[in-house]
Structure formats: structure tokens, C-alpha cells
Amino acid sequence: MFHSKGLMIATQIRQKDAIFYFVAYPSAELMEKVRFISRFYDEGEQITPDAVPEDDDVAKFIERIERNEKAFQRSLSKSKVKAIRNFYETATSQPPIPGTVLLFTPQRLRFQPLNGSETVGQLQEPDEKFLIIDGQHRLAALNFYERTHPNDASSIFVPCVIFDGRADDFATEMFVIINSTPTRINKSHLVDLYERVSWAEPDRRFAARITEMLYREGDSPLRYRINRLGGRSKQEKWILQAELFNEIHRWVKQAWNKIQKAGADRPEAERYYRMVRDFLKAASQVFEEAWGNENYMVTKPVTLKGIIRVCADLSTEDAEPEDGRVERWRNRLSSWTERTRDFRNEGFYERFAAKGQIERVAKVHRELGRAAGIQARAAERKVA
């Protein structure tokens, strides 16, 4: 039996520090548990999306991305749904939905293993509807298929992967990863999108400008070291553009009131770029031969993220004057030279033990800040 007092049979899957679930969802029940935040049309009919709460940034983001795509590909989206529905109608020996649909809920779901099994058990259903990370077209077509072929649709079980109990940033990152293929929007395009469309939030556009300058400007320590192409990149890169953008935006969002008062324009973005540039220059000098060395973790994403957070902390107390800043900050970070050995590849994950990458970045941030005598911002201390 699929349901028992709000529970469903699921397989728990562990991969490194991540835990998620696989569920074979009856189609009719699944359609009651997901919310469409994009519009799909079929023969004049429409699935009306739920209203997106103002504080649900992930839902707003995906909803706006889809709306933007329809402005240019309305007929393509319509034909795609119709083509999938047609496949459901004609598929006989083939499974109609062989690939998994990815679902997300910020709620932490309870999992109760069945007797004698560690991975199979009963999973709590969320109180609110799932957000669809990937598979909206397939489920939209299934909705229309159920209207015309209810008996056939009732026999369909949809393979679903469920992610639960994460921050909204996790769903955004998953959406970025899933759409980073040659036939979809890649991660760099998603970041670039903030700068190029009118609906993007101004703080995101501001962070995107800084990220783009870190990639492009000749005096940037990260010039051409930022991976804008994902798996298609054939050159040595240090960090994904989406990861770097998330850290810059984290800083910008917390300082947004101050940035707005200063104008939030391109000159202000350039001023913030110069702060990141100078801090990275100072960091590269104190880490010496470990900077850019493949035998060390100094220029790997986990450490670079922590370094950016320390930069944000220091900028609140010692950003001015700009003249002489690199030397001033190099002296401030001089204790990091003694910590270089801690960032060797061998034993790094034991020295910075954590439950996952998010916690490990926070730990690197705290360790580096403490070593340099740089106090974390109030918001960071609350997170920690």
C-alpha cells in the first residue's frame, strides 16, 4: 500500500554526505502533491500556477525563468508538452516516464526503516506541495493525459527523487546543475541572466557584475580561473561561476542597504570588485607556493568560498583607504602563512571535518577569520 497515514514507501539513498529518497508515485496522487509554477498550454487549456510567495526566492526564480523562456519560445514549450502527451498515448512496450522527476521540499521528512532493512521504509509526505526541480513538462503533459485517458493514467507510477530539509539555495543549485547541458541553459547563462533581464532583483544584478569582472578584468587573481562552461570546460579552473556568484551575492545581500545608499550602480560594483581583487591578491601572497598549487586546497571551491567570506568580514572594518590596501591586508593575513600546511590535499577533510560542504565552508571561514583576528559579521555569527 502506498500511503499509510501520510506515509509513502521510499528507498533512502546515501551519496557522500547527501541523503535523498526514491519513490514510485502513483500519477494521480503525485499530481495532488506538486505545484506548477510555470504555465503550460494544451489545446487552449491551461494549468494555473499557484501564487508564488514573495519570500520564496527559489520559486520566484524558476517561475520567472520559465516566463522569460516563453516570451521567446512560446510555441516550442507548447509543442513540447503536446509531443510528450502524444508519446504517453502511443507508448506501449516502452515505459511512458522512464526518467526520474526531481522534487524538493524545505521540510525535513521523517523516514522510518522497515524491519530488516536499512534503506527501505516509510517516508513522511510534506505538509506543503513539492517544488518541481526537474520534470515540469513531463508532469504537465501527464496532467493533460489524465484528462483524456484516466484509466490508462491510473496505472502509471512516476519515478521520483525527493530532496528534503535543505535551504532554498540547494534547490537553486540543483536547478542550475540539471539545466547545465548543451541543450539547456548552462550555469554561466543563468548567472549572466541577472544582468540581462529587467525582472532580475537589483542585488543579484549587482553581484553578477562583480562576478563577471572577476572573470574578465586583467588584474583579477581569478581571471579565466572561473568555470563558466561546467563539464564542457577543457581548461584548468578553480571554481564554478555559480558557486562564486552565490558567495558574492551572500555578501551583497547582507550589505544591500549600505550599497543602495551609495547608488548600487556600476561604479559601486567596481568598488566592491576592487575589494575582492585586493583581498585575493593579499591571500595569494601569504599562501605563497600553495596558491594555485594542485597539491593544496587553497584555490579549490571550499577554501575560496571561505576566503570570500573573510573578505566580506574585513571589508566592514578596513575597506578604506584603498591606497596601500593590498599591503595592509597582506599584513593582516600574515598568520595564514603558518596555516598553509593545513590546506594540503592529504588529510584536508579530516582537518576540516564536517557533515557536508556547506558546513565545511563555514568551518574554513571561521578558522581563517580567527587566525587573522577578523571578526565575523553579526549575520555570519548567527548562522554559525
Side-chain angles (χ1 to χ4, degrees):
M1 185 174 180
F2 182 74
H3 286 86
S4 176
K5 296 182 179 179
L7 301 175
M8 49 187 167
I9 299 298
T11 299
Q12 186 184 74
I13 302 172
R14 293 177 179 265
Q15 292 183 1
K16 293 188 176 180
D17 297 321
I19 298 177
F20 51 98
Y21 303 93
F22 177 83
V23 173
Y25 236 119
S27 62
E29 296 183 25
L30 177 60
M31 301 309 293
E32 296 294 324
K33 295 300 296 182
V34 297
R35 57 190 179 108
F36 289 89
I37 57 172
S38 302
R39 293 176 175 84
F40 298 93
Y41 299 89
D42 184 72
E43 302 300 334
E45 296 178 280
Q46 177 181 341
I47 300 174
T48 302
D50 290 348
V52 177
E54 281 299 315
D55 60 349
D56 191 342
D57 189 52
V58 176
K60 285 167 54 182
F61 179 77
I62 297 177
E63 188 252 357
R64 286 168 173 170
I65 288 290
E66 291 288 338
R67 184 179 298 168
N68 181 65
E69 288 181 337
K70 279 183 167 49
F72 295 96
Q73 302 178 11
R74 183 186 299 271
S75 61
L76 179 62
S77 298
K78 179 179 177 179
S79 61
K80 183 175 182 179
V81 173
K82 292 180 67 174
I84 296 174
R85 188 189 68 168
N86 182 66
F87 174 72
Y88 292 162
E89 293 173 342
T90 58
T92 54
S93 59
Q94 313 101 310
I97 309 178
T100 55
V101 170
L102 305 189
L103 306 176
F104 171 80
T105 175
Q107 181 181 346
R108 175 68 68 184
L109 304 180
R110 296 189 307 274
F111 179 73
Q112 302 172 0
L114 296 178
N115 293 335
S117 176
E118 294 183 0
T119 59
V120 179
Q122 292 183 318
L123 181 67
Q124 171 196 3
E125 287 195 299
D127 298 329
E128 304 293 335
K129 292 184 177 182
F130 287 110
L131 171 68
I132 306 169
I133 297 177
D134 187 57
Q136 289 195 116
H137 283 83
R138 282 169 284 166
L139 294 185
L142 181 60
N143 182 282
F144 293 118
Y145 180 63
E146 285 186 339
R147 299 181 188 184
T148 54
H149 299 76
N151 293 333
D152 293 335
S154 64
S155 67
I156 294 177
F157 284 74
V158 181
C160 299
V161 170
I162 296 174
F163 299 94
D164 73 313
R166 315 294 181 92
D168 287 349
D169 282 349
F170 174 84
T172 303
E173 289 176 6
M174 286 297 297
F175 175 76
V176 167
I177 291 170
I178 293 301
N179 285 278
S180 296
T181 69
T183 58
R184 299 185 184 183
I185 304 173
N186 66 37
K187 285 176 283 188
S188 66
H189 289 167
L190 287 172
V191 173
D192 294 339
L193 195 61
Y194 292 121
E195 178 76 335
R196 299 183 181 182
V197 296
S198 60
W199 49 255
E201 293 88 343
D203 57 322
R204 291 181 178 273
R205 289 201 301 271
F206 190 89
R209 292 190 190 111
I210 300 170
T211 305
E212 197 275 333
M213 283 187 280
L214 286 168
Y215 177 85
R216 170 176 52 81
E217 294 299 325
D219 59 356
S220 169
L222 296 184
R223 190 186 193 195
Y224 304 147
R225 295 296 189 179
I226 301 169
N227 189 344
R228 308 176 83 179
L229 299 176
R232 291 181 291 157
S233 176
K234 303 302 180 182
Q235 300 180 2
E236 180 186 355
K237 304 293 184 180
W238 291 348
I239 189 169
L240 288 170
Q241 178 168 262
E243 293 179 290
L244 178 61
F245 168 83
N246 285 342
E247 289 304 322
I248 298 297
H249 181 247
R250 179 191 182 100
W251 175 11
V252 166
K253 191 172 182 179
Q254 292 177 351
W256 188 239
N257 289 337
K258 182 178 178 181
I259 292 171
Q260 282 184 306
K261 291 178 181 178
D265 51 11
R266 184 167 292 276
E268 185 66 4
E270 291 172 354
R271 190 175 76 86
Y272 270 75
Y273 158 73
R274 292 194 298 272
M275 282 192 277
V276 182
R277 176 202 65 190
D278 290 352
F279 192 87
L280 292 174
K281 285 183 177 181
S284 69
Q285 293 173 20
V286 297
F287 276 120
E288 299 175 341
E289 74 280 356
W291 186 264
N293 190 325
E294 64 180 10
N295 295 318
Y296 289 81
M297 297 291 292
V298 172
T299 49
K300 300 293 175 62
V302 62
T303 307
L304 284 175
K305 292 177 184 180
I307 288 174
I308 294 295
R309 294 185 188 185
V310 179
C311 174
D313 296 336
L314 183 56
S315 69
T316 63
E317 61 178 82
D318 191 27
E320 304 298 338
E322 188 169 334
D323 290 341
R325 188 164 57 194
V326 174
E327 181 178 0
R328 188 171 75 248
W329 283 359
R330 182 180 67 241
N331 292 334
R332 191 73 180 268
L333 305 179
S334 60
S335 61
W336 288 6
T337 303
E338 301 173 1
R339 298 293 306 271
T340 299
R341 290 177 60 84
D342 293 343
F343 290 88
R344 291 172 298 170
N345 289 348
E346 184 179 356
F348 173 82
Y349 290 99
E350 288 73 28
R351 287 188 292 274
F352 293 91
K355 295 180 181 179
Q357 188 79 335
I358 294 175
E359 183 178 313
R360 186 168 289 110
V361 171
K363 190 167 187 176
V364 170
H365 170 211
R366 289 196 301 271
E367 294 277 343
L368 290 177
R370 187 180 299 117
I374 299 170
Q375 188 171 3
R377 293 164 295 169
E380 296 289 353
R381 293 196 298 272
K382 289 179 182 178
V383 172

